Amino acid sequence: MASSKILYMGLLLLVTFFWGVTFPLIKDALVFITPVLFLSLRFFLSALLMIPLLVKKKNIASRENIKFGFLAGALLFIGYYFQTVGLEYTTAAKSGIITGIYVVLIPLMSFFYLKSRVSRMDTLASILAFTGLIVMSAGSISNSTVQLGDILTFICAVGYAFQIAYVSKHSKNLDSTVFTFYQILTVAILSTIAIPTYPLSTTDINYYVIFTIFFTAIFGGIFAYYISTRALIFVEPTTAGIIFVGEPIFAALSSIAINKEALGTLTIIGGSVMAFAMFLTSLDNYLRTKHYSAGSA
């Protein structure tokens, strides 16, 4: 259990890297395709690619997997819908930063919804992470008004926080592969239903759009949600939330590399504070795991 926890904390960090990279990729792809059509194609491809993994699963028609997978997927859809549409009206770096606000919401979800105890170190790390987000936002959003994209992205952060808490509560007794499949399929179906909510424009399914759909479907979809669903069996949602704070850091860095977005001093300082918060919670979990292992020896 202890080694699994450390392993999945590392894998969650890799997941945040893939999620961060998707921000500038999707931002550029939205020049050629509408946000909701992009989501529909992306998640249907993810669901399709997962089918071979389900062939030998006897619990594919399990009522619990379907019910909990659909509800978790509905929350995930809320996050993705508002995030992707919001990217049309804000920069990739700002979107990543505002999305990261869900980190500070997770301890509240854990306490009120999961009724779970939040450690002092996780609380401190959450406060530090949120402080870093504020400083980072000051550097990225200063001298500009709060735009529609910023508001939509904040709604997405609330949706993600609810989804992480919900998955943490229900994933322990479910098959991770089947549960992940139903989440992804639900997002695909709801995205398709929601296509009329966004005005269609000229669509150009070029090589860049195809690459982005495949990259996000495989690395930001199947891999990321299978790992995060499995990880929440071993890692507390608050701890996972602190690790997920790496997403806006990777989003900002990849926006510099891919879209040449400029980041100011405050953005860099805020990102450093957030990285320190991740280090604190990782060190705390390592020390607690080592203590429990020594106690059971």
Side-chain angles (χ1 to χ4, degrees):
M1 180 68 76
S3 59
S4 296
K5 184 173 182 178
I6 299 299
L7 170 64
Y8 278 105
M9 286 177 68
L11 288 173
L12 281 177
L13 186 60
L14 180 60
V15 165
T16 65
F17 168 75
F18 285 133
W19 279 341
V21 171
T22 63
F23 281 89
L25 292 179
I26 295 173
K27 176 69 176 178
D28 289 345
L30 293 181
V31 174
F32 309 103
I33 188 172
T34 62
V36 192
L37 178 57
F38 174 83
L39 283 178
S40 176
L41 294 174
R42 167 187 175 176
F43 280 95
F44 266 121
L45 177 60
S46 288
L48 183 65
L49 293 175
M50 281 200 72
I51 290 177
L53 303 176
L54 303 171
V55 174
K56 296 183 179 181
K57 296 289 184 180
K58 296 180 180 179
N59 57 353
I60 183 67
S62 163
R63 184 177 177 181
E64 285 194 338
N65 275 316
I66 295 173
K67 179 180 72 172
F68 293 125
F70 174 79
L71 291 173
L75 292 170
L76 192 60
F77 166 74
I78 292 172
Y80 269 105
Y81 178 85
F82 287 103
Q83 181 186 62
T84 309
V85 173
L87 260 172
E88 281 273 85
Y89 307 101
T90 189
T91 66
K94 282 173 67 177
S95 179
I97 291 165
I98 298 169
T99 298
I101 290 174
Y102 72 83
V103 169
V104 78
L105 298 176
I106 290 175
L108 297 176
M109 301 292 178
S110 297
F111 183 76
F112 291 106
Y113 176 62
L114 301 179
K115 308 299 182 183
S116 61
R117 179 179 173 274
V118 180
S119 73
R120 291 180 180 178
M121 187 59 75
D122 279 340
T123 301
L124 174 61
S126 294
I127 293 171
L128 278 175
F130 187 55
T131 301
L133 278 170
I134 293 173
V135 174
M136 206 173 180
S137 298
S140 179
I141 305 177
S142 60
N143 300 321
S144 67
T145 57
V146 176
Q147 300 172 335
L148 173 62
D150 303 332
I151 297 171
L152 295 176
T153 308
F154 177 77
I155 296 173
C156 119
V158 176
Y160 283 152
F162 271 108
Q163 196 266 349
I164 291 170
Y166 186 85
V167 170
S168 178
K169 182 174 183 178
H170 297 290
S171 62
K172 294 178 176 62
N173 300 317
L174 299 174
D175 185 297
S176 298
T177 305
V178 178
F179 187 39
T180 301
F181 172 75
Y182 280 119
Q183 287 185 78
I184 288 174
L185 181 62
T186 299
V187 177
I189 293 171
L190 293 178
S191 296
T192 304
I193 294 172
I195 286 177
T197 66
Y198 196 90
L200 289 173
S201 57
T202 302
T203 301
D204 179 11
I205 308 295
N206 54 37
Y207 288 113
Y208 185 83
V209 172
I210 292 172
F211 166 77
T212 304
I213 289 172
F214 269 87
F215 183 90
T216 55
I218 296 170
F219 297 104
I222 296 173
F223 175 80
Y225 285 102
Y226 175 77
I227 292 298
S228 59
T229 298
R230 285 284 300 168
L232 287 171
I233 297 174
F234 304 98
V235 181
E236 300 88 346
T238 302
T239 302
I242 303 301
I243 296 173
F244 287 155
V245 84
E247 182 179 350
I249 297 174
F250 291 127
L253 293 175
S254 57
S255 295
I256 295 172
I258 298 173
N259 287 348
K260 309 303 179 184
E261 291 184 17
L263 299 180
T265 304
L266 288 177
T267 304
I268 296 172
I269 293 173
S272 300
V273 173
M274 293 159 69
F276 181 64
M278 291 172 57
F279 170 75
L280 277 183
T281 195
S282 300
L283 178 62
D284 179 55
N285 274 277
Y286 171 76
L287 294 176
R288 277 190 287 163
T289 300
K290 189 173 182 181
H291 173 73
Y292 291 147
S293 298
S296 59

